[in-house]
Amino acid sequence: MKRRDFLKKSIPAATLLPAIVDGYSVKAFTGNSPLLMVLMNPTTDTDHVLVIVQLNGGNDGLNTVIPRDNYSNYYNARTNIAIPENRILNLNGYAATGLHPGMTGLQTLFNEGKLSIVQAVGYPSPNFSHFRATDIWMSGSDANQVINSGWAVRYLNAEFPNFPIGFPNSAMPDPLAIQIGSVTSLTLQGPSVNMGMSITDPTSFYNLINGVQDSAPNNYMGQELTYIRNVASQTNQYATRIRDAANAVTQQSTYPTNNSLADQLKIVARLVKGGLKTRVYMVSYNGFDTHSLQVNTADTTIGTHNNLLTAISNAIKAFADDCKFLGIEDRVLGMTFSEFGRRIKSNSSLGTDHGAAAPMFLFGKHVVNSVVGNNPTIPANVSVNDNIPFQYDFRSVYASVLEKWFCVDSNTLQTILFRNYQSLNIVNKFGCPGGPDPNAGDALVKIFPNPFVTSTEIEFTTRGGHTLIQIIDALGRVIKTPVDRDYTAGTYKVSFDGSYLPTGVYYVRLQNGQFQQVKPALKVR
């Protein structure tokens, strides 16, 4: 095969950059992604940056954000892995909730007013496959639909609708999105090709800015690789921009060593400070699939999960400190996610199995410093299959970030996320004016009789507008939606027939604007 033919057939959708930046090899992707298109020719004038932190494997939320007000039921459900009550880290103003003892960095951020915790984030009919659940979170799809574009790239497409035609240009000379530590994921996938740039590891990043290439093997394939690298380095216009941005920053604050997430976040801070107009960065940390040996037998505060939480906590705290040191903290918002949580009850292998809802963290100077939502309800008698019901749909978090950080209007939001999701009070009004009143009172839902035998009556108070009531089973699945429409403000009642349901605990979830409430209901014989 001729070299030109080899090149043409081997890299039709991506330009491979041999150059390395801080040890991360780079791949630049172009294509017709809605989200990245929006970022390249922005309709919104903003210098805001979103940093997405993926916790791969499904993080155990109950041992991360611990319910102190229901500690006895928490402990009884997982006696072999439960964190001792006297070791839980305190959160200022939230005595009912605490953090894993390894998370001193995030505790400090919370107490400094730079961390928001959103309780029990999930979606109806949760999927427990790592691959499928990750696709759902990255695409923003329903569990029963397959969408081949990422939620973040659809935002960029709304901002830069002609990408990649005419890009890079003077208005947007930089990559629309950058992912560090992995190949570009579905989050940055457009309808036809990826629209993000992937820096696969820190070594490749530093090699890029230092003009160093990984050595190619001394054989035929190595010669072809060298040829492709030379062509790519000559034609790619983003490499110089990244190198210039990185070289513009000569001093940063201290990051923890032997911490791959810290290595990735350090690069993000450097590129943001260096002047890149890139709006979305994505980083990741592996190892959260803790089916066994999640804790140490003799001391549940140490072990695998502690090591993971300590690493991400220290890395995020160092990143936040660096953003302040570099003078960019007004511009940066961070968000964590994991493809699912873990079951309420631990297993006999000192671990936890795939579950449903789990907490999310948002961090930065302009988050609303709070614990959003209530501690998960944990029944006194928990089976191995019981899950935490979701309080907030993960797409509500996405919608709130897009609305309040990137100033996306409601019509565009529905185009990006396909429907209307509640607006959460998680980002302050620094970024965009308006938004819901953070001092407004809670919506209310009451259930009577409770326990019930065949049917019960749900009384709910709405502040007006779209109101949703869902019935969720112990596995975390939405099994019935008695209410899904607009109301004028007031109190209403709706009957729910549960005669066909087996006995057990169910959850009634009310959503009204930015407010939600989850109440348990017990079906008996």
Side-chain angles (χ1 to χ4, degrees):
M1 181 182 295
K2 293 182 179 180
R3 285 182 173 178
R4 286 189 180 86
D5 293 336
F6 175 82
L7 178 62
K8 186 181 299 183
K9 294 180 181 180
S10 298
I11 51 172
T15 301
L16 298 172
L17 298 177
I20 309 259
V21 182
D22 283 1
Y24 285 91
S25 62
V26 176
K27 297 178 184 177
F29 297 84
T30 58
N32 193 27
S33 162
L35 177 57
L36 289 173
M37 288 181 173
V38 173
L39 294 180
M40 292 298 298
N41 290 293
T43 59
T44 306
D45 183 14
T46 180
D47 64 353
H48 287 178
V49 170
L50 174 64
V51 181
I52 303 171
V53 180
Q54 181 182 3
L55 310 180
N56 288 314
N59 181 42
D60 178 16
L62 270 182
N63 266 23
T64 302
V65 180
I66 303 170
R68 305 183 78 161
D69 60 348
N70 193 14
Y71 184 83
S72 61
N73 284 1
Y74 155 82
Y75 180 83
N76 290 335
R78 41 176 60 200
T79 55
N80 59 343
I81 67 166
I83 302 301
E85 190 170 11
N86 63 355
R87 298 293 301 278
I88 300 172
L89 298 180
N90 297 326
L91 298 173
N92 288 351
Y94 290 88
T97 305
L99 294 179
H100 186 283
M103 304 180 74
T104 55
L106 289 188
Q107 178 198 31
T108 301
L109 275 187
F110 188 93
N111 293 340
E112 290 177 346
K114 297 180 180 179
L115 185 72
S116 177
I117 301 171
V118 186
Q119 294 274 32
V121 182
Y123 55 94
S125 303
N127 190 291
F128 302 128
S129 159
H130 289 291
F131 301 105
R132 177 59 188 143
T134 299
D135 283 352
I136 291 169
W137 275 81
M138 288 185 171
S139 65
S141 71
D142 287 336
N144 61 353
Q145 67 179 152
V146 175
I147 297 174
N148 294 319
S149 61
W151 72 274
V153 102
R154 293 195 297 273
Y155 155 64
L156 293 174
N157 182 59
E159 292 284 297
F160 304 95
N162 295 318
F163 184 85
I165 299 172
F167 291 88
N169 55 42
S170 58
M172 186 55 179
D174 305 322
L176 298 180
I178 293 176
Q179 180 162 342
I180 300 173
S182 177
V183 295
T184 313
S185 69
L186 178 59
T187 302
L188 305 181
Q189 172 67 44
S192 56
V193 296
N194 256 303
M195 300 182 66
M197 186 173 201
S198 178
I199 300 175
T200 57
D201 57 60
T203 301
S204 62
F205 171 75
Y206 293 108
N207 284 352
L208 173 60
I209 63 176
N210 292 324
V212 177
Q213 292 185 355
D214 289 330
S215 60
N218 186 22
N219 54 31
Y220 173 76
M221 293 305 297
Q223 296 169 7
E224 297 295 347
L225 176 60
T226 300
Y227 177 77
I228 293 172
R229 284 176 169 178
N230 290 336
V231 172
S233 63
Q234 292 168 5
T235 59
N236 186 274
Q237 300 178 62
Y238 289 135
T240 299
R241 293 287 302 177
I242 291 177
R243 186 161 43 239
D244 290 346
N247 288 333
V249 180
T250 58
Q251 186 176 4
Q252 293 180 258
S253 59
T254 302
Y255 283 76
T257 58
N258 299 317
N259 184 323
S260 65
L261 182 59
D263 294 340
Q264 297 168 57
L265 290 173
K266 184 177 182 180
I267 293 173
V268 172
R270 186 171 176 178
L271 295 180
V272 174
K273 175 62 178 177
L276 286 191
K277 295 182 179 181
T278 302
R279 289 194 187 177
V280 178
Y281 291 84
M282 189 166 180
V283 297
S284 61
Y285 199 68
N286 297 325
F288 286 89
D289 195 19
T290 53
H291 287 282
S292 62
L293 301 178
Q294 178 172 317
V295 301
N296 183 282
T297 307
D299 182 355
T300 59
T301 66
I302 62 176
T304 300
H305 197 230
N306 169 72
N307 296 340
L308 293 165
L309 295 180
T310 300
I312 65 165
S313 176
N314 291 345
I316 291 173
K317 177 61 167 60
F319 175 71
D321 291 345
D322 198 23
C323 287
K324 181 177 180 179
F325 173 79
L326 295 171
I328 58 173
E329 64 174 346
D330 273 331
R331 298 180 50 205
V332 178
L333 174 72
M335 176 182 75
T336 70
F337 84 94
S338 195
E339 66 264 34
F340 43 64
R342 319 295 287 188
R343 300 291 169 94
I344 296 175
K345 191 174 180 65
S346 58
N347 60 38
S348 59
S349 300
L350 296 178
T352 47
D353 297 323
H354 297 181
M360 292 178 67
F361 297 102
L362 290 98
F363 54 93
K365 180 179 177 180
H366 295 292
V367 300
V368 175
N369 179 221
S370 63
V371 177
V372 182
N374 302 314
N375 286 329
T377 300
I378 302 175
N381 297 310
V382 180
S383 77
V384 294
N385 293 319
D386 281 351
N387 267 308
I388 295 170
F390 80 98
Q391 295 180 50
Y392 297 100
D393 194 299
F394 73 98
R395 290 158 293 192
S396 293
V397 179
Y398 294 172
S400 303
V401 168
L402 291 172
E403 172 198 3
K404 298 176 183 180
W405 190 242
F406 288 126
C407 309
V408 176
D409 64 77
S410 58
N411 290 331
T412 306
L413 272 179
Q414 293 199 46
T415 300
I416 295 170
L417 296 174
F418 310 119
R419 66 170 66 98
N420 180 30
Y421 290 97
Q422 71 185 125
S423 178
L424 305 179
N425 189 35
I426 53 179
V427 180
N428 66 28
K429 294 183 179 181
F430 169 83
C432 305
D437 178 7
N439 298 314
D442 289 338
L444 298 174
V445 59
K446 300 177 182 178
I447 307 161
F448 184 82
N450 187 15
F452 67 96
V453 178
T454 57
S455 64
T456 190
E457 191 169 70
I458 302 169
E459 178 183 293
F460 60 97
T461 301
T462 174
R463 300 180 61 84
H466 184 259
T467 305
L468 177 73
I469 290 181
Q470 298 166 309
I471 310 298
I472 305 173
D473 67 9
L475 295 178
R477 303 172 300 186
V478 174
I479 58 173
K480 186 77 173 180
T481 305
V483 172
D484 185 6
R485 66 181 182 87
D486 288 342
Y487 282 86
T488 57
T491 299
Y492 301 86
K493 293 181 180 180
V494 63
S495 294
F496 170 64
D497 179 11
S499 58
Y500 64 96
L501 295 173
T503 59
V505 177
Y506 295 86
Y507 301 91
V508 178
R509 178 180 183 268
L510 168 68
Q511 174 185 311
N512 175 218
Q514 67 169 312
F515 303 108
Q516 62 75 43
Q517 201 166 64
V518 177
K519 292 290 185 68
L522 180 63
K523 166 70 184 298
V524 296
R525 295 186 182 278

PDB file of all heavy atoms in Angstrom, residues 37 41 75 148 166 287 366 398 406 417:
ATOM      1  N   MET A  37     -19.963  22.498  17.778  1.00  0.00           N
ATOM      2  CA  MET A  37     -20.222  23.544  16.802  1.00  0.00           C
ATOM      3  C   MET A  37     -20.627  24.837  17.488  1.00  0.00           C
ATOM      4  O   MET A  37     -20.274  25.933  17.076  1.00  0.00           O
ATOM      5  CB  MET A  37     -21.336  23.107  15.844  1.00  0.00           C
ATOM      6  CG  MET A  37     -20.906  22.033  14.881  1.00  0.00           C
ATOM      7  SD  MET A  37     -22.233  21.599  13.800  1.00  0.00           S
ATOM      8  CE  MET A  37     -21.399  20.525  12.688  1.00  0.00           C
ATOM      9  N   ASN A  41     -18.392  28.890  17.047  1.00  0.00           N
ATOM     10  CA  ASN A  41     -18.916  30.178  16.593  1.00  0.00           C
ATOM     11  C   ASN A  41     -19.960  30.601  17.600  1.00  0.00           C
ATOM     12  O   ASN A  41     -21.153  30.541  17.357  1.00  0.00           O
ATOM     13  CB  ASN A  41     -19.561  30.041  15.218  1.00  0.00           C
ATOM     14  CG  ASN A  41     -18.537  29.803  14.160  1.00  0.00           C
ATOM     15  OD1 ASN A  41     -17.741  30.660  13.874  1.00  0.00           O
ATOM     16  ND2 ASN A  41     -18.543  28.610  13.591  1.00  0.00           N
ATOM     17  N   TYR A  75     -25.802   1.867  58.969  1.00  0.00           N
ATOM     18  CA  TYR A  75     -24.848   0.920  59.547  1.00  0.00           C
ATOM     19  C   TYR A  75     -25.385  -0.509  59.455  1.00  0.00           C
ATOM     20  O   TYR A  75     -24.645  -1.439  59.077  1.00  0.00           O
ATOM     21  CB  TYR A  75     -24.551   1.275  60.998  1.00  0.00           C
ATOM     22  CG  TYR A  75     -23.573   0.325  61.646  1.00  0.00           C
ATOM     23  CD1 TYR A  75     -22.196   0.493  61.465  1.00  0.00           C
ATOM     24  CD2 TYR A  75     -24.013  -0.754  62.415  1.00  0.00           C
ATOM     25  CE1 TYR A  75     -21.286  -0.386  62.044  1.00  0.00           C
ATOM     26  CE2 TYR A  75     -23.105  -1.641  62.987  1.00  0.00           C
ATOM     27  CZ  TYR A  75     -21.749  -1.451  62.804  1.00  0.00           C
ATOM     28  OH  TYR A  75     -20.862  -2.323  63.366  1.00  0.00           O
ATOM     29  N   ASN A 148     -26.316   8.790  19.599  1.00  0.00           N
ATOM     30  CA  ASN A 148     -24.902   8.660  19.240  1.00  0.00           C
ATOM     31  C   ASN A 148     -24.139   9.975  19.299  1.00  0.00           C
ATOM     32  O   ASN A 148     -23.050  10.084  18.739  1.00  0.00           O
ATOM     33  CB  ASN A 148     -24.783   8.048  17.845  1.00  0.00           C
ATOM     34  CG  ASN A 148     -25.283   6.619  17.810  1.00  0.00           C
ATOM     35  OD1 ASN A 148     -25.018   5.842  18.728  1.00  0.00           O
ATOM     36  ND2 ASN A 148     -26.003   6.258  16.763  1.00  0.00           N
ATOM     37  N   GLY A 166     -14.485  25.971   8.178  1.00  0.00           N
ATOM     38  CA  GLY A 166     -13.982  27.283   8.533  1.00  0.00           C
ATOM     39  C   GLY A 166     -13.290  27.364   9.874  1.00  0.00           C
ATOM     40  O   GLY A 166     -12.983  28.469  10.339  1.00  0.00           O
ATOM     41  N   GLY A 287     -11.295   2.883  38.672  1.00  0.00           N
ATOM     42  CA  GLY A 287     -11.163   1.985  39.804  1.00  0.00           C
ATOM     43  C   GLY A 287     -12.333   1.900  40.756  1.00  0.00           C
ATOM     44  O   GLY A 287     -12.246   1.247  41.803  1.00  0.00           O
ATOM     45  N   HIS A 366     -18.159  29.770  42.076  1.00  0.00           N
ATOM     46  CA  HIS A 366     -19.521  30.242  41.851  1.00  0.00           C
ATOM     47  C   HIS A 366     -20.584  29.149  41.941  1.00  0.00           C
ATOM     48  O   HIS A 366     -21.676  29.303  41.403  1.00  0.00           O
ATOM     49  CB  HIS A 366     -19.592  30.977  40.509  1.00  0.00           C
ATOM     50  CG  HIS A 366     -18.777  32.232  40.507  1.00  0.00           C
ATOM     51  ND1 HIS A 366     -19.114  33.327  41.263  1.00  0.00           N
ATOM     52  CD2 HIS A 366     -17.616  32.539  39.881  1.00  0.00           C
ATOM     53  CE1 HIS A 366     -18.212  34.277  41.085  1.00  0.00           C
ATOM     54  NE2 HIS A 366     -17.285  33.821  40.257  1.00  0.00           N
ATOM     55  N   TYR A 398     -27.247  18.701  34.214  1.00  0.00           N
ATOM     56  CA  TYR A 398     -26.717  19.213  32.948  1.00  0.00           C
ATOM     57  C   TYR A 398     -27.448  20.495  32.542  1.00  0.00           C
ATOM     58  O   TYR A 398     -26.821  21.486  32.158  1.00  0.00           O
ATOM     59  CB  TYR A 398     -26.901  18.176  31.835  1.00  0.00           C
ATOM     60  CG  TYR A 398     -26.110  16.898  31.959  1.00  0.00           C
ATOM     61  CD1 TYR A 398     -26.338  15.838  31.087  1.00  0.00           C
ATOM     62  CD2 TYR A 398     -25.125  16.727  32.925  1.00  0.00           C
ATOM     63  CE1 TYR A 398     -25.620  14.657  31.161  1.00  0.00           C
ATOM     64  CE2 TYR A 398     -24.406  15.551  33.022  1.00  0.00           C
ATOM     65  CZ  TYR A 398     -24.659  14.519  32.132  1.00  0.00           C
ATOM     66  OH  TYR A 398     -23.945  13.348  32.220  1.00  0.00           O
ATOM     67  N   PHE A 406     -23.427  28.580  31.185  1.00  0.00           N
ATOM     68  CA  PHE A 406     -23.209  28.930  29.786  1.00  0.00           C
ATOM     69  C   PHE A 406     -24.328  29.791  29.208  1.00  0.00           C
ATOM     70  O   PHE A 406     -24.311  30.112  28.016  1.00  0.00           O
ATOM     71  CB  PHE A 406     -23.022  27.665  28.942  1.00  0.00           C
ATOM     72  CG  PHE A 406     -21.703  26.971  29.154  1.00  0.00           C
ATOM     73  CD1 PHE A 406     -21.654  25.631  29.487  1.00  0.00           C
ATOM     74  CD2 PHE A 406     -20.514  27.658  29.018  1.00  0.00           C
ATOM     75  CE1 PHE A 406     -20.437  24.980  29.680  1.00  0.00           C
ATOM     76  CE2 PHE A 406     -19.293  27.022  29.208  1.00  0.00           C
ATOM     77  CZ  PHE A 406     -19.249  25.680  29.535  1.00  0.00           C
ATOM     78  N   LEU A 417     -31.189  18.700  25.213  1.00  0.00           N
ATOM     79  CA  LEU A 417     -31.521  17.605  26.127  1.00  0.00           C
ATOM     80  C   LEU A 417     -32.857  16.945  25.808  1.00  0.00           C
ATOM     81  O   LEU A 417     -33.297  16.051  26.539  1.00  0.00           O
ATOM     82  CB  LEU A 417     -31.517  18.123  27.567  1.00  0.00           C
ATOM     83  CG  LEU A 417     -30.147  18.604  28.059  1.00  0.00           C
ATOM     84  CD1 LEU A 417     -30.264  19.236  29.440  1.00  0.00           C
ATOM     85  CD2 LEU A 417     -29.134  17.466  28.093  1.00  0.00           C
TER      86      LEU A 417
END
